[in-house]
Amino acid sequence: MSELSTAARSSGRRARYAAGIAVLALVTACGGAGGDGGGGLRGTTVPVAGGSPGTLTKPGAIEGFSVPESVVFAGDSWLVSNLGRVDPDPAAKDGDGFLTELNAVGTLTARRAMPRPGDPPLHAPKGMAAVDNRVFVADVDRIVGYDTSSHGQVFEAALGDGAPALLNDIVALDSRTLLVTDTYRDTVYQLDIETKHFEPRATGIPGANGIAIDDSGRTAYVVADGEAFEGGDLWRLDLTQTPAVPQRVGAVHGILDGVAVLSTGNIVVSDWISTQGDKSGTLTVYRPDGTPATQLRLPDNLHGPADFAVDPAGRNIWIPAMPDNRLVIVPLP
């Protein structure tokens, strides 16, 4: 496919993706589901269970974010990426993105923790991965890294070729290597943190979005939302191969966003279901062959479940509901 046709396809997908988020945001805002959070984050804060970091004794919800897309446990805190409200386009370089920091039980410690004043702005931060004392975040066409203690920027690697890109989710393969999805280019990149070099690891995944690896580190799972944000599939990558050839997993299909691999080997997948705001999203646990195991019980009005995270004890899932501007915590079955 020519560079021109690739750019045209990416531009069209970008418009449809942005429109879907904008419609959901409008619907939920009219329904009073949340706002930009000018009044501060609010919601459930409860004691840590048994002293395990990041584990709540019961489910809850925290409201008042600004289009939250991803959540990760880093060090002894939770970080939430916010796209911001200036432009609903997930690839807009509008400079209003930021990371919010919560302590282990969900109490706000810094609404705009990163970037710090004086550091370069974030535009539309999405997926994150914690490596040692750093957190890496996907921001349109680059990966940005921050020190989790000082909150200062310590890393930046740009994709660099100028073509439309939407770096979306990140997982750490090891202390030096990140796997990064690109929704517009249907690609999973491997990023060497030391050299800052991006190398395609897998291609041909329409609308590649969330990514996770199993405990062995030899298998990755990628969820997708399709060529035009109309629906995509769950894919398996054999990381012992280079390049890795994507293999569909069962008949899992939807507007898929987040994915996690449990210690049992089962796979949790989030599905927006609809971009029109008329249906709540879902989280479903699948067996490795793609057959459904169970569906998690979510609030009826949870829309756009994005890049969720399982707490360190494996008891609860923290789910950013993008257009609702909420972070919802539900128990694993």
Side-chain angles (χ1 to χ4, degrees):
M1 184 175 290
S2 70
E3 181 177 341
L4 178 61
S5 61
T6 299
R9 183 184 65 170
S10 297
S11 178
R13 183 185 299 171
R14 173 176 173 171
R16 287 186 289 270
Y17 193 9
I21 293 175
V23 167
L24 269 174
L26 176 61
V27 169
T28 53
C30 290
D36 185 52
L41 300 181
R42 53 203 179 277
T44 301
T45 56
V46 295
V48 173
S52 300
T55 302
L56 299 178
T57 58
K58 62 181 180 179
I62 306 165
E63 299 184 46
F65 293 94
S66 187
V67 194
E69 203 281 339
S70 180
V71 59
V72 68
F73 193 72
D76 58 358
S77 301
W78 289 96
L79 297 174
V80 181
S81 62
N82 296 259
L83 270 66
R85 305 293 284 181
V86 171
D87 190 334
D89 184 344
K93 294 185 177 182
D94 50 18
D96 73 331
F98 59 96
L99 306 186
T100 295
E101 183 183 63
L102 311 170
N103 70 10
V105 296
T107 302
L108 175 69
T109 55
R111 174 169 171 74
R112 291 179 175 267
M114 307 163 204
R116 298 183 310 185
D119 281 343
L122 283 173
H123 302 296
K126 301 177 187 65
M128 296 179 287
V131 179
D132 299 326
N133 64 333
R134 294 174 292 176
V135 62
F136 296 90
V137 57
D139 188 27
V140 186
D141 57 0
R142 62 183 183 144
I143 302 299
V144 182
Y146 295 95
D147 184 285
T148 55
S149 297
S150 71
H151 294 178
Q153 182 175 327
V154 294
F155 179 87
E156 181 174 352
L159 198 53
D161 61 8
L166 185 66
L167 301 183
N168 201 322
D169 196 17
I170 310 175
V171 67
L173 189 59
D174 54 48
S175 62
R176 174 173 173 162
T177 312
L178 304 177
L179 298 180
V180 185
T181 61
D182 188 332
T183 303
Y184 289 168
R185 302 188 191 187
D186 311 331
T187 295
V188 175
Y189 290 103
Q190 181 168 302
L191 171 61
D192 186 309
I193 295 172
E194 294 186 11
T195 66
K196 301 184 178 181
H197 176 68
F198 287 87
E199 182 74 23
R201 188 66 186 267
T203 58
I205 304 175
N209 196 325
I211 186 168
I213 57 174
D214 68 2
D215 288 343
S216 74
R218 295 190 294 269
T219 302
Y221 291 91
V222 180
V223 293
D225 49 43
E227 289 284 353
F229 200 40
E230 82 291 358
D233 304 311
L234 171 63
W235 302 82
R236 181 185 291 111
L237 302 178
D238 181 353
L239 297 178
T240 66
Q241 300 177 351
T242 302
V245 179
Q247 301 291 329
R248 282 189 178 88
V249 179
V252 182
H253 185 82
I255 304 173
L256 311 180
D257 197 318
V259 60
V261 184
L262 303 178
S263 59
T264 60
N266 286 346
I267 308 146
V268 188
V269 173
S270 68
D271 186 348
W272 284 44
I273 300 293
S274 170
T275 59
Q276 301 307 308
D278 55 345
K279 293 182 180 179
S280 297
T282 64
L283 262 75
T284 304
V285 180
Y286 294 95
R287 300 179 183 90
D289 63 1
T291 57
T294 187
Q295 187 165 306
L296 274 66
R297 189 180 185 90
L298 304 180
D300 291 337
N301 61 343
L302 189 154
H303 301 89
D307 186 16
F308 60 86
V310 179
D311 70 30
R315 294 179 57 179
N316 298 315
I317 292 186
W318 295 53
I319 310 163
M322 287 181 66
D324 299 342
N325 295 311
R326 289 189 294 161
L327 184 63
V328 177
I329 300 97
V330 300
L332 275 168

